[in-house]
Every structure is written in structure tokens, then in C-alpha cells.
Amino acid sequence: MPWLLYSLNRIFFATVLPPSAQIGRDVVLGYRGLGIVIHRQAVIGDRVNVGTKVTIGGRAGIPGAPRIEDDVLLGSGAQILGPIRIGRGAQVGANAVVLCDVPDGATAVGVPARILPGRASSQT
């Protein structure tokens, strides 16, 4: 059944959502997952909002996949690449290319993504 759903998602919504990916509770995939690609080893926490055309994937020659903590917002078109961690409550701007860890409560924007000053929580 998981592989049937995987195939139907791929055909109807251009979504790659492998059954081996660990997806938390209350995760929202924008426009029913339109254009979203998720690595088979990715871990996504609870209450994550994933915009359209987001890639949560690996990087060539670097083993591992991203880990997205709880309460994260990933803007449309964001690229989260490699074995990195997006901290709890962080935000990633639209079309940002994230290649390194984002601390809890921080906002990452740009290509390559950089952390905006003054946004990170005091817990980091």
C-alpha cells in the first residue's frame, strides 16, 4: 500500500514522498505536496509547514539526509540539502538554498542561505 500511494503521488502531484521517510504529526504539504521532493532518509518533525516545490534531499558525495525539527516553516522553492539540521521553530525563506545547520528559532534566507541576525532564540 505505501508504494501504491508513493506512485499515485508521483503521478498526480509530482511529489516524491518515499515510505521510508520519517514524517511527524500535523505536517502540512503546500497544495497537497505539489512538486515536493523528500529524501528517503529524511526526518521531519511535528507541525512542519512545507511550501510547494521544496526539496529536502541529499548532496552528491556526502552521505546523510536533512533533519527538520518541530514547528518549522519551509518557504516555497526552498532547497534543504545534505545531512543538516533545521532547528525547532526555524524559518527558511522562499527559494533559499540551505547547506548548513540552522539554529533553533532562526531565519535563513538567500542563495546560499545565511542566518538573519537578531531572529535566533535565546536557547541557541
Side-chain angles (χ1 to χ4, degrees):
M1 187 61 135
W3 288 105
L4 174 64
L5 292 174
Y6 170 83
S7 299
L8 290 174
N9 278 333
R10 180 85 186 230
I11 293 167
F12 292 119
F13 300 109
T15 300
V16 177
L17 183 58
S20 59
Q22 296 178 32
I23 311 289
R25 302 176 119 200
D26 300 323
V27 172
V28 176
L29 302 179
Y31 289 100
R32 295 187 175 92
L34 185 63
I36 295 173
V37 177
I38 298 177
H39 191 279
R40 64 185 173 85
Q41 295 175 339
V43 177
I44 300 176
D46 298 335
R47 298 169 305 281
V48 173
N49 190 331
V50 182
T52 59
K53 298 185 180 179
V54 169
T55 300
I56 300 171
R59 289 177 64 187
I62 301 174
R67 177 179 190 85
I68 313 296
E69 300 292 336
D70 299 338
D71 304 310
V72 170
L73 172 65
L74 302 176
S76 295
Q79 310 295 306
I80 315 299
L81 305 174
I84 62 174
R85 176 186 167 274
I86 306 297
R88 178 183 295 264
Q91 298 177 356
V92 176
N95 296 314
V97 178
V98 183
L99 302 174
C100 58
D101 291 350
V102 176
D104 294 352
T107 298
V109 296
V111 179
R114 66 188 191 292
I115 306 302
L116 292 181
R119 172 70 169 87
S121 69
S122 60
Q123 297 173 355
T124 57

